[in-house]
Amino acid sequence: MATNYLNDLNDSQRQAVLHTEGPALVIAGAGAGKTRVLTYRIAHLLNNKVPAGKILSLTFTNKAAREMKERISRIVSPEIARYLWMGTFHSIFAKILRMEGDKLGYRSNFTIYDSSDSKSLIRSIIKELNLDDNIYKPGVIASRISSAKNNLITASMYAADSSLHEYDKASRMPLLADVYKTYAARCFKANSMDFDDLLLNTNILFRDFPATLAEYQERFGYILVDEYQDTNYSQYLIVKKLAASHHNLCVVGDDAQSIYSFRGARIENILEFKNDYSDYQLYKLEQNYRSTQTIVNAANTIIANNEGQIKKNVFSMNEPGEKIQVFQAMTDSEEGFNIASDIFDKRFSLRLNWSDFAVLYRTNAQSRIFEETLRRKNIPYRIYGGLSFYDRKEIKDVLAYFRMVINPEDEEALKRSINYPKRGIGDTTIEKIFELSSSLNTSAWSVLSEAGKYSDHFNAGTVKKLLLYRDVINNFSINSDTTDAFTKAREIALGSGIMKELKDGKSPEEVSRYENMEELLNAIKVFTEAADTNGEPNILEAYMANVALLTDQDTDNKEDRNKVTLMTMHSAKGLEFKHVYIAGMEDTLFPSPMSSGSAKELEEERRLFYVAVTRAEKQATLSYALNRYKWGNLERCSPSRFLKEIDQKFLHYPQTGGKPFNAPGNSHAKPTPLSEEPLKYVKDDRFKKLSKAVAGSSSAFTGTDASLFAEGDMVQHERFGKGVIISIEGEPPNTTASVKFDTDGTRKLLLRFAKLKKL
């Protein structure tokens, strides 16, 4: 066992590692080596004869847990490290619930619903309750239920709370409690939990079964929590309960990087740690190993404007580095061009990789401009946090079969797999199955499995098709608890007909889907081999338990690595790049207009800016446009107030020779383009109308609110006349409607530009 690991730490890190007994709060500035402290603290506990099974380490990504365990294995040995309880909150407590869930009425093979499963179920419930889905929007309801669960409000508690009922009435959703109650009941009947249930049910388990809580308090003699500032109330309470008997709790985080309140994260958890554990020890990791001195000092001037924080003096011993660049553009298109040009020039002049660059923005909608400008320069890019590999249709289709083999009560998996590939089972039949299951208070699978008993609901041909599907699932289930995951997955992919259907496709999209299926089987093969090597379960159920809890960082595609990264600032947390561009530094975008009315929310926006700047190792660039298209209208923009909060000595303005745009003697200077003339890439008429559009008028085009329309609506268009909406596709702001007009045929309209009037 290695004993010289402490030599790798600075004094502050070493003190935090050596303090193993009692509560400890480690405040780690950006790039200060918090992961190293957690890793070495665990190694130090193991080196001092603490059994690995008594250490619980909670992270926010499986990737972080995996990398920490690999480092620990190199210090102590893989044989010891393998027994650590290390993983995300959700993966650790899912594991506990698989062992203890029977106390709450769940079987150990319960399915974990992802967000799309939850929304699909909610959408079905809204339809069954005859509610208007333009008012009861599945995404909004899913978010409301999630918030309730994270605050430990069950469906019955929600229904009994008059203040919540009043809030729902004011939101025009007085029956939301009924939707929540039905949703919870349907999940339970399907032997399924969503992500939030994993935490809610762990809290209920520990509340209602004190002997079980005492068992896990005894088991986990040492608890470590990463990114503590990102914990929500439910997570906070679980940790507090587990540490109640011994207080051997070490939490690591940075209040200055608390940016997830919209997910329920409570900065109070880290700020008030001292109130929960009065005998705590505070350690501050203040040396930034990632960024240049200029970036660190500039970031300090940003966060200094926040009142609610634990004060620290973050510093860097790296080179001073370049000043932070500030770009100004006339329009959002020119902003995209400026950044793409700068990336292109730096990549070749400094001999860097494309992966050394990242463009960060406040909203996902901003990515379009950068996608277009990067394509024009043939710069490869990837959108981080976009459609995950496991969210692609063909992958979810075969995973639905896997889920049915493991848990045939899974309603959402049944809906997805029952008629794919097509076997002649239509929507009407599926609706009848669920109506029967509801009226008989049994599962859809039970109804389907005995379809012959319901001849008054299903004709002989339909019964035959339903029983054929039942037999397919039952045959796949044979030996599924002993056959390795890869062998069983390949059997299902082939036997279901999915592989044949995908292989027969000739279009590039269909070929890509087939390749994705091959990649899935490759991933399952790797899982199986790793499980065999580590002596862990290698069956399909173990694989699905793992895959259900993967995050974006866990599914990083190796083929995407040498590309410029486009992502929101929130997605950038925990990552680092040599050169970072922060776009849209305008008061109408960042800080978000929704935060302007609250000092607390404005402070979170400032923390988000701090996080964005500190992702940069060598240079950060801030960019804004003076005019930006919004809903088809070109609007004037003002530079973000955050730009004014950075000490000017850390900023450089390359377009004006280094001076600020509004500096004395420079107030009328027009910034020069950073490279060749960008306007040739954009239609000229867009810029000819610039001055008129900027001036604006009371009749300025405002576009159409996509949420006001639904399929079947009668509408009026000023040019095409009357029509009916046939279908609606896509998410705002790119929602389109196919409208069949009385005199002009069917046209596909982008709703934000359509000027439709509902009749």
Side-chain angles (χ1 to χ4, degrees):
M1 182 179 291
T3 57
N4 60 349
Y5 53 90
L6 295 176
N7 297 334
D8 297 336
L9 305 171
N10 64 33
D11 289 342
S12 299
Q13 293 171 333
R14 190 178 300 109
Q15 290 174 28
V17 165
L18 293 175
H19 175 268
T20 58
E21 304 300 313
L25 172 61
V26 181
I27 297 296
K34 67 178 179 61
T35 304
R36 174 170 287 193
V37 166
L38 276 173
T39 303
Y40 283 39
R41 186 182 171 93
I42 293 170
H44 188 64
L45 286 168
L46 295 172
N47 205 24
N48 281 276
K49 308 305 180 185
V50 173
K54 290 190 71 69
I55 299 173
L56 171 64
S57 178
L58 298 167
T59 65
F60 272 80
T61 67
N62 291 297
K63 180 182 178 184
R66 186 169 59 250
E67 290 175 352
M68 283 173 58
K69 185 171 280 191
E70 287 171 356
R71 290 191 202 179
I72 292 166
S73 296
R74 289 195 289 269
I75 297 173
V76 293
S77 79
E79 289 72 25
I80 294 175
R82 65 184 289 189
Y83 293 106
L84 290 166
W85 281 70
M86 181 177 286
T88 63
F89 278 87
H90 292 91
S91 64
I92 291 294
F93 298 119
K95 184 177 179 180
I96 289 175
L97 287 170
R98 291 199 187 278
M99 295 187 289
E100 310 289 349
D102 61 314
K103 295 181 174 68
L104 303 178
Y106 289 90
R107 295 182 297 285
S108 63
N109 64 336
F110 64 80
T111 302
I112 300 172
Y113 279 179
D114 64 18
S115 58
S116 63
D117 294 321
S118 296
K119 288 178 185 176
S120 174
L121 177 54
I122 289 169
R123 196 174 290 112
S124 298
I125 293 168
I126 290 168
K127 185 177 180 181
E128 291 165 13
L129 296 178
N130 294 313
L131 300 175
D132 186 347
D133 59 5
N134 285 320
I135 297 173
Y136 290 84
K137 297 179 179 178
V140 173
I141 292 177
S143 177
R144 191 101 169 106
I145 291 174
S146 174
S147 178
K149 288 181 177 181
N150 286 329
N151 284 287
L152 306 185
I153 301 172
T154 62
S156 57
M157 292 165 66
Y158 193 103
D161 192 312
S162 59
S163 63
L164 291 173
H165 185 59
E166 289 301 315
Y167 180 88
D168 291 340
K169 282 174 62 178
S171 303
R172 299 172 59 215
M173 294 187 290
L175 298 180
L176 199 151
D178 292 347
V179 178
Y180 184 7
K181 182 179 178 181
T182 307
Y183 173 78
R186 289 278 286 276
C187 284
F188 184 77
K189 187 168 74 171
N191 192 37
S192 299
M193 300 187 199
D194 62 25
F195 281 1
D196 300 311
D197 284 327
L198 297 174
L199 303 178
L200 174 63
N201 285 330
T202 300
N203 270 297
I204 292 172
L205 175 71
F206 289 161
R207 180 196 68 190
D208 294 349
F209 297 89
T212 302
L213 171 60
E215 176 189 335
Y216 284 98
Q217 287 174 333
E218 174 65 24
R219 174 176 294 186
F220 302 133
Y222 295 85
I223 302 172
L224 302 93
V225 185
D226 192 11
E227 304 286 12
Y228 192 63
Q229 78 282 348
D230 293 335
T231 53
N232 60 31
Y233 180 64
S234 186
Q235 292 164 328
Y236 158 82
L237 206 57
I238 292 171
V239 170
K240 189 175 182 182
K241 286 177 179 177
L242 288 174
S245 63
H246 52 67
H247 285 195
N248 289 332
L249 172 64
C250 174
V251 302
V252 181
D254 183 6
D255 55 290
Q257 297 185 65
S258 179
I259 59 173
Y260 294 126
S261 66
F262 66 94
R263 294 182 187 168
R266 298 170 74 248
I267 192 173
E268 294 82 6
N269 292 350
I270 197 165
L271 294 179
E272 298 174 6
F273 186 83
K274 59 186 178 184
N275 298 333
D276 290 330
Y277 306 95
S278 57
D279 57 337
Y280 85 113
Q281 292 291 316
L282 174 65
Y283 301 96
K284 295 182 181 181
L285 309 183
E286 297 173 308
Q287 182 173 352
N288 180 304
Y289 290 92
R290 174 190 303 147
S291 307
T292 65
Q293 293 178 28
T294 297
I295 291 171
V296 170
N297 293 337
N300 286 342
T301 67
I302 295 167
I303 205 64
N305 291 277
N306 272 9
E307 292 292 329
Q309 61 174 300
I310 298 171
K311 295 291 184 181
K312 54 187 173 298
N313 179 35
V314 181
F315 65 95
S316 172
M317 298 293 286
N318 296 335
E319 72 274 18
E322 301 288 333
K323 288 186 176 183
I324 292 175
Q325 294 185 124
V326 181
F327 290 170
Q328 175 181 291
M330 284 297 294
T331 65
D332 46 2
S333 288
E334 187 177 297
E335 177 187 45
F337 178 84
N338 285 345
I339 289 176
S341 295
D342 201 59
I343 290 173
F344 188 89
D345 293 344
K346 281 191 168 66
R347 193 261 182 174
F348 289 103
S349 63
L350 301 177
R351 298 183 180 181
L352 299 170
N353 295 315
W354 294 121
S355 56
D356 292 325
F357 299 90
V359 182
L360 312 183
Y361 34 76
R362 181 62 181 82
T363 65
N364 277 306
Q366 290 170 258
S367 71
R368 181 187 63 82
I369 291 290
F370 300 106
E371 290 188 70
E372 291 177 0
T373 51
L374 291 171
R375 277 181 188 150
R376 287 173 189 140
K377 284 190 168 291
N378 292 319
I379 297 175
Y381 68 88
R382 65 164 183 164
I383 298 180
Y384 188 93
L387 185 65
S388 162
F389 177 81
Y390 291 96
D391 284 334
R392 292 170 182 169
K393 179 187 179 302
E394 62 277 11
I395 302 303
K396 290 185 76 69
D397 286 339
V398 76
L399 291 183
Y401 274 91
F402 296 174
R403 286 162 55 175
M404 285 300 295
V405 168
I406 295 163
N407 173 24
E409 312 293 329
D410 186 333
E411 292 185 0
E412 294 307 305
L414 187 149
K415 288 180 192 174
R416 192 167 194 112
S417 60
I418 191 171
N419 197 41
Y420 182 78
K422 291 187 182 300
R423 47 176 61 92
I425 302 173
D427 291 343
T428 302
T429 298
I430 297 170
E431 286 179 13
K432 286 181 182 178
I433 292 171
F434 281 91
E435 286 170 4
L436 268 171
S437 73
S438 178
S439 64
L440 297 172
N441 194 27
T442 188
S443 69
W445 176 253
S446 296
V447 170
L448 183 151
S449 296
E450 300 180 316
K453 289 172 53 177
Y454 308 106
S455 56
D456 51 337
H457 290 82
F458 308 116
N459 62 38
T462 299
V463 169
K464 184 177 180 180
K465 293 169 186 173
L466 293 177
L467 296 183
L468 178 62
Y469 169 72
R470 176 201 65 184
D471 293 343
V472 166
I473 298 300
N474 284 339
N475 287 335
F476 287 150
S477 300
I478 296 171
N479 299 326
S480 63
D481 56 346
T482 55
T483 306
D484 72 81
F486 174 73
T487 302
K488 181 56 67 173
R490 191 170 182 277
E491 175 192 335
I492 294 170
L494 291 169
S496 64
I498 291 178
M499 288 291 279
K500 182 180 186 305
E501 175 138 324
L502 294 176
K503 191 173 184 179
D504 290 344
K506 302 300 181 188
S507 71
E509 293 81 6
E510 290 168 323
V511 171
S512 176
R513 293 189 189 112
Y514 184 77
E515 291 171 347
N516 287 338
M517 189 63 63
E518 180 185 20
E519 182 60 30
L520 175 67
L521 291 174
N522 290 341
I524 298 174
K525 182 68 172 177
V526 170
F527 166 84
T528 304
E529 291 175 347
D532 288 340
T533 300
N534 296 325
E536 296 171 350
N538 70 353
I539 59 174
L540 195 61
E541 184 175 340
Y543 171 75
M544 288 302 294
N546 174 67
V547 103
L549 297 164
L550 293 178
T551 66
D552 285 340
Q553 290 191 28
D554 301 319
T555 56
D556 193 19
N557 190 337
K558 292 180 181 178
E559 294 178 3
D560 283 345
R561 287 187 181 169
N562 193 25
K563 296 180 180 180
V564 174
T565 299
L566 306 181
M567 63 170 65
T568 63
M569 298 179 206
H570 283 99
S571 298
K573 177 89 181 308
L575 303 176
E576 56 189 40
F577 304 88
K578 284 189 172 70
H579 292 264
V580 170
Y581 297 80
I582 303 169
M585 291 294 302
E586 301 139 33
D587 261 345
T588 50
L589 267 179
F590 189 48
S592 168
M594 292 186 291
S595 69
S596 58
S598 162
K600 184 177 180 181
E601 290 174 348
L602 185 61
E603 290 209 347
E604 175 152 335
E605 289 288 294
R606 189 176 287 113
R607 292 195 295 269
L608 182 59
F609 185 31
Y610 174 84
V611 167
V613 170
T614 55
R615 298 311 93 197
E617 298 174 19
K618 298 297 183 183
Q619 187 169 50
T621 299
L622 311 178
S623 172
Y624 64 90
L626 295 174
N627 306 281
R628 185 175 294 273
Y629 270 92
K630 294 182 179 178
W631 299 103
N633 190 38
L634 195 59
E635 297 181 1
R636 283 192 185 278
C637 305
S638 300
S640 170
R641 71 190 74 181
F642 291 157
L643 284 170
K644 304 179 184 71
E645 294 179 355
I646 305 177
D647 192 319
Q648 288 293 311
K649 68 185 178 184
F650 300 124
L651 302 179
H652 174 65
Y653 302 79
Q655 294 159 291
T656 57
K659 295 181 180 180
F661 296 111
N662 59 351
N666 194 40
S667 58
H668 300 290
K670 181 181 178 182
T672 57
L674 294 173
S675 187
E676 63 212 76
E677 174 60 38
L679 301 192
K680 73 178 185 180
Y681 290 106
V682 193
K683 290 183 180 179
D684 288 338
D685 60 345
R686 182 173 173 184
F687 289 87
K688 288 175 184 175
K689 299 173 183 175
L690 181 71
S691 58
K692 291 182 181 179
V694 170
S697 70
S698 58
S699 62
F701 171 58
T702 56
T704 292
D705 183 353
S707 66
L708 299 177
F709 295 88
E711 293 176 10
D713 283 350
M714 297 297 296
V715 294
Q716 176 85 31
H717 188 276
E718 63 181 13
R719 178 180 169 190
F720 304 127
K722 292 182 180 180
V724 60
I725 296 178
I726 299 172
S727 64
I728 294 179
E729 300 174 346
E731 297 293 328
N734 298 314
T735 306
T736 60
S738 293
V739 183
K740 185 177 182 181
F741 291 100
D742 295 346
T743 58
D744 219 78
T746 300
R747 292 181 177 272
K748 196 167 188 176
L749 306 175
L750 192 61
L751 281 177
R752 60 178 162 140
F753 297 140
K755 286 187 178 178
L756 288 178
K757 180 181 179 183
K758 194 172 180 179
L759 299 178

